[in-house]
Amino acid sequence: MSNETEDFEQTYETLEKENFPDGKRIRFIAELGASSDIEGHFRLICRTWKEEKNLRLESSFDRHGEEGLRFLLERLKKTEISDALLQREEASEELREAVFTAYLLAEILSQGRHREYFSSYCEELLPFLLRFSETEEDFLREKCLIALGWVAGEREIPFLTGKMLEDRDAFCRAWAASSLMQMSFHRVNGAILQEETKKDFAKAIEEEKNLQACGIMIEAAQTLFSKKWLSASALEAEDEAQIEKARRSAVRFLLK
């Protein structure tokens, strides 16, 4: 362990005793991002994940540049997630860390999507996200589906439409829909997405029983197809009348 890592861990311990005051926490996050100790930074991030502390230490990991991306990818490649771990209803610590790592890598790639290395890293990350998306743990599956919206390509459209239509969890279905929309801002031409998902969006929106999930699907579809069926305030308030009205309008358009 480097001296810098030891210093960071000591600082973390001190801040923990002080209940992580915002000003000091923000300065600490900046120091971590400016450091050359990528492994030490990541170790502390993993600690917050394990302890379920939302300190956002990962928010400066992008400062490590491509070296940081490579570190995260190599970390994933060294992780062994068996089928048995994916099939457990309660996720293991190993799977949880792997999913959070993949999500972090996807999030950083999304922020740098205009960089020349964006597509190549996306292609290396995709197999991990697709595999982890089969976990039985709904929350981790949601994170994978959200991350796919940032890095997936045209060939992943059927996978996400399948999740939108058939996943057992309402919010996984909703985030799959949202990710299809997000793809239009990243790696897939919007016109292609419109053509390949129009009927699937119609079916998903028409059949969705969960009101909030239906609203998220409508919001995704209206962004992708440049329509305005549902206001953000109606979705946030889960206004049943407005969501049902938007559902009818969306389905009518999407089935044309």
Side-chain angles (χ1 to χ4, degrees):
M1 186 183 296
S2 70
N3 290 334
E4 194 170 26
T5 298
E6 290 179 357
D7 289 343
F8 283 151
E9 293 195 350
Q10 288 173 5
T11 301
Y12 183 95
E13 299 286 351
T14 300
L15 291 177
E16 187 173 38
K17 291 175 183 176
E18 299 174 5
N19 199 27
F20 297 102
D22 283 344
K24 291 183 179 180
R25 179 179 61 84
I26 291 169
R27 283 195 296 274
F28 184 47
I29 290 171
E31 290 170 4
L32 288 169
S35 166
S36 61
D37 186 7
I38 296 174
E39 186 172 358
H41 187 177
F42 185 73
R43 185 181 292 113
L44 285 178
I45 291 170
C46 289
R47 180 172 174 176
T48 66
W49 290 341
K50 186 174 183 178
E51 296 173 355
E52 298 187 2
K53 291 177 178 175
N54 186 25
L55 302 179
R56 293 297 296 161
L57 299 189
E58 65 270 31
S59 63
S60 62
F61 201 86
D62 63 307
R63 296 277 304 280
H64 298 304
E66 191 175 359
E67 188 178 356
L69 297 178
R70 178 53 56 185
F71 174 88
L72 294 176
L73 194 57
E74 291 303 319
R75 184 84 178 192
L76 286 171
K77 289 179 178 178
K78 293 175 183 176
T79 302
E80 295 184 5
I81 302 297
S82 66
D83 290 342
L85 285 180
L86 289 172
Q87 291 164 7
R88 284 171 51 176
E89 290 189 11
E90 185 174 343
S92 65
E93 286 296 333
E94 299 98 314
L95 178 58
R96 181 180 171 85
E97 181 181 311
V99 169
F100 276 55
T101 300
Y103 183 94
L104 174 58
L105 179 50
E107 187 176 30
I108 295 172
L109 286 171
S110 173
Q111 295 165 2
R113 57 185 176 273
H114 302 300
R115 295 185 180 274
E116 60 182 20
Y117 54 69
F118 172 67
S119 290
S120 63
Y121 276 94
C122 287
E123 288 300 312
E124 290 194 76
L125 174 58
L126 273 169
F128 296 100
L129 285 172
L130 291 169
R131 177 164 168 72
F132 299 159
S133 294
E134 300 303 332
T135 175
E136 290 293 313
E137 213 286 329
D138 294 342
F139 172 69
L140 295 183
R141 201 161 67 257
E142 285 178 28
K143 289 189 76 71
C144 291
L145 292 170
I146 292 169
L148 281 168
W150 299 325
V151 300
E154 188 175 339
R155 69 176 180 272
E156 282 74 49
I157 293 174
F159 178 84
L160 283 168
T161 54
K163 289 292 184 183
M164 175 175 68
L165 290 165
E166 299 174 359
D167 197 283
R168 71 182 184 199
D169 179 74
F171 289 104
C172 284
R173 296 192 296 272
W175 293 128
S178 183
S179 284
L180 286 165
M181 175 272 292
Q182 280 293 332
M183 289 166 70
S184 68
F185 297 108
H186 292 81
R187 301 186 66 204
V188 184
N189 181 277
I192 292 173
L193 278 163
Q194 289 176 357
E195 181 179 353
E196 295 197 19
T197 65
K198 191 174 183 181
K199 295 296 188 289
D200 291 316
F201 264 109
K203 180 177 173 61
I205 291 170
E206 185 173 34
E207 296 181 355
E208 182 55 57
K209 300 294 191 294
N210 182 287
L211 190 68
Q212 188 177 3
C214 181
I216 293 170
M217 289 177 179
I218 293 168
E219 184 179 52
Q222 71 182 13
T223 301
L224 180 58
F225 291 91
S226 301
K227 297 294 179 181
K228 188 63 178 177
W229 300 307
L230 183 66
S231 68
S233 59
L235 175 57
E236 184 177 356
E238 295 184 44
D239 186 322
E240 183 175 2
Q242 290 299 313
I243 291 174
E244 290 299 342
K245 180 181 178 182
R247 187 204 299 261
R248 292 190 294 272
S249 297
V251 171
R252 188 163 53 246
F253 168 81
L254 293 166
L255 287 177
K256 284 181 181 177

